[in-house]
Structures are given as structure tokens and as C-alpha cells.
Amino acid sequence: MFAVPKSVGTAVVRNRARRRVREALRELAGDGTIALRDGEYRLGISSSLEGLSAAELRETLGELLGGVR
């Protein structure tokens, strides 16, 4: 579950951001880049997410979460 603040944009934009982050995390976990344990994690999502390609988003999340085990 992701909490995306209203400052990111309309409901459509927030839902798209949520889906993009969820998919990027799924891909990173699938290829072994990250291995997150069950629990709660807080990610700060901003409107600048819209400007990132899928590859850039995966790379950024991989860098941010690569050390989290």
C-alpha cells in the first residue's frame, strides 16, 4: 500500500504514480536487486515522478532501497 499526497496531483495522477512504483518494486524484487522483508516502508513520492521513465524509476528505487535488507 502506498500513500501518495494530494500535492502530487489529481487522483488519476496519484493512482498512476502508485501503479508505477508498485510495478518497479515488483521488478526489482523479481530480479533480486532488492529483498525487502514484510513490514511498513515509507517512500516520499513527488510530482517529479511523472518525468521519469520506467527504467529511470527502477534505477532510482534500486539505488534507494538496495541497502535495505
Side-chain angles (χ1 to χ4, degrees), residues 1-5 8 14 18 41-45:
M1 181 174 161
F2 298 96
V4 181
V8 169
R14 292 191 311 270
R18 219 177 265 114
Y41 299 88
R42 179 175 287 195
L43 296 174
I45 297 175

Side-chain angles (χ1 to χ4, degrees), residues 50-61:
E50 284 294 307
L52 296 176
S53 69
E56 291 171 326
L57 178 58
R58 276 191 310 275
E59 181 181 334
T60 301
L61 285 172

Side-chain angles (χ1 to χ4, degrees), residues 18-36:
R18 219 177 265 114
R19 286 191 307 271
R20 292 185 69 207
V21 169
R22 187 178 301 122
E23 180 60 24
L25 289 173
R26 193 175 293 130
E27 290 175 6
L28 289 168
D31 69 9
T33 302
I34 61 170
L36 300 177

